[in-house]
Amino acid sequence: MLQETGKKYLKDGVLPHMWCAGCGIGVMLGALLRSFEELGYAKNDVVVVTGIGCTGKTDDYLTTNALHVTHGRALAFATGIKAFKPGLKVVALMGDGDSVTIGGNHFIHAARRNIDLTAIIINNFNFGMTGGQASGTTPSDKISSTTLYGNPERDFDVSALACTAGANYVARSTPAHAWELTQYIKEALTKKGFSLVEVFSPCPTNYGKNNKMGDPLKMLRWLKEKGVSPEEYERLGEPEKDEYFAIGKLCDRDIPDFNTRYEEIRARALSS
Ligand code: SF4
């Protein structure tokens, strides 16, 4: 099944891929392609939009429609595609630098607009491709190539931000929970409105090395052990909340999406 899925959605001769050993991007891409297969999507049903960075390289490998755009702007282009061609399944694949640091404003407004597309964010807590600079999700006190003595800023909770801004569906998983990740991606793809799957992911080459957790296996174990259900996370006290994180479905509702609202308003205007 995996081989067949690869043949269908991956270009011939593109492997091995460019990601470092232990990087989580490949696991996310595998989960996405399995989701396409299990949902019966033909490659022409789908448009994958990417920005810049290690996650932004994913479109190089795909046989689906794909668009590789400027840094931070994947959601702006994805919004345009969905508004013009509502029948297409639009997926924006982004890193944390791309989606909520350089492209933060597009992210907030795509969620607020509740446009019917799926954003998948590989959150590895730094700008991986350009050498491990701090991003909007680098935790306080952590080391990056631009915060050598510790990050003085606080980090965004990307999932909470999407939920607060108006997304219909938000889930968080990790490459250490690959089966669950596939289920969340499938739910996100079939949900009407803006959906987000945030993937806490290892970047052993930069974030891991800078923070003395560089061994890929150790990073995966860290994700496996520290990811707890939203209910367990709520029961934790304040110091533990910094150490653990919630994984699972974090937001699920059915507010009418942008295209539905647009058609309603257009019909009202035409009949008046
Ligand atoms: S630099 Fe980090 S994010 Fe980029 S491929 Fe390597 S491990 Fe993955």
Side-chain angles (χ1 to χ4, degrees):
M1 156 94 167
L2 202 55
Q3 245 181 358
E4 289 308 307
T5 304
K7 273 190 205 148
K8 191 164 167 188
Y9 300 110
L10 289 176
K11 290 178 189 161
D12 281 340
V14 287
L15 298 178
H17 57 69
M18 53 79 69
W19 299 297
C20 309
C23 179
I25 296 171
V27 178
M28 176 279 292
L29 190 58
L32 178 66
L33 301 190
R34 269 191 296 278
S35 302
F36 288 167
E37 178 74 35
E38 288 173 28
L39 293 170
Y41 290 171
K43 51 195 184 186
N44 286 337
D45 295 342
V46 177
V47 187
V48 173
V49 187
T50 62
I52 302 297
C54 297
T55 308
K57 295 296 286 176
T58 42
D59 64 283
D60 286 358
Y61 301 98
L62 300 177
T63 57
T64 63
N65 299 300
L67 189 64
H68 184 61
V69 303
T70 46
H71 214 169
R73 310 293 175 243
L75 283 170
F77 283 86
T79 297
I81 294 167
K82 190 68 194 187
F84 188 62
K85 290 269 186 190
L88 287 170
K89 219 12 104 180
V90 182
V91 183
L93 299 182
M94 303 164 285
D96 47 284
D98 201 24
S99 59
V100 294
T101 312
I102 290 178
N105 208 33
H106 292 297
F107 178 73
I108 293 167
H109 288 284
R112 176 189 63 80
R113 193 171 287 124
N114 202 21
I115 184 97
D116 181 28
L117 55 85
T118 298
I120 300 181
I121 297 183
I122 284 277
N123 181 0
N124 53 31
F125 318 108
N126 71 165
F127 282 90
M129 179 174 266
T130 46
Q133 294 88 348
S135 76
T137 65
T138 306
S140 270
D141 293 324
K142 292 296 182 187
I143 310 292
S144 73
S145 63
T146 47
T147 56
L148 291 176
Y149 300 101
N151 183 18
E153 299 178 4
R154 288 175 297 163
D155 52 313
F156 268 142
D157 180 332
V158 176
S159 288
L161 184 62
C163 200
T164 304
N168 260 359
Y169 180 91
V170 177
R172 185 191 287 134
S173 192
T174 85
H177 304 82
W179 185 85
E180 292 89 340
L181 175 59
T182 307
Q183 307 315 306
Y184 297 135
I185 291 176
K186 281 197 294 188
E187 285 187 356
L189 288 169
T190 50
K191 185 78 181 181
K192 194 95 172 142
F194 186 81
S195 55
L196 166 70
V197 179
E198 183 185 14
V199 188
F200 273 14
S201 184
C203 171
T205 304
N206 288 308
Y207 185 77
K209 192 174 78 185
N210 282 329
N211 291 285
K212 298 192 171 50
M213 48 197 311
D215 177 88
L217 202 56
K218 269 194 203 157
M219 289 205 83
L220 271 180
R221 279 205 193 108
W222 167 69
L223 291 167
K224 182 102 189 151
E225 285 162 15
K226 302 299 179 189
V228 297
S229 71
E231 296 75 25
E232 281 175 272
Y233 186 76
E234 275 316 304
R235 283 197 293 272
L236 294 172
E238 271 316 314
E240 289 83 24
K241 278 194 165 153
D242 284 345
E243 204 185 318
Y244 291 83
F245 54 88
I247 53 172
K249 205 188 300 187
L250 304 173
C251 178
D252 190 358
R253 57 195 168 201
D254 292 301
I255 298 166
D257 69 297
F258 171 83
N259 287 76
T260 304
R261 290 285 299 132
Y262 184 87
E263 286 307 322
E264 278 171 13
I265 290 167
R266 195 168 76 105
R268 196 170 65 208
L270 288 174
S271 65
S272 62

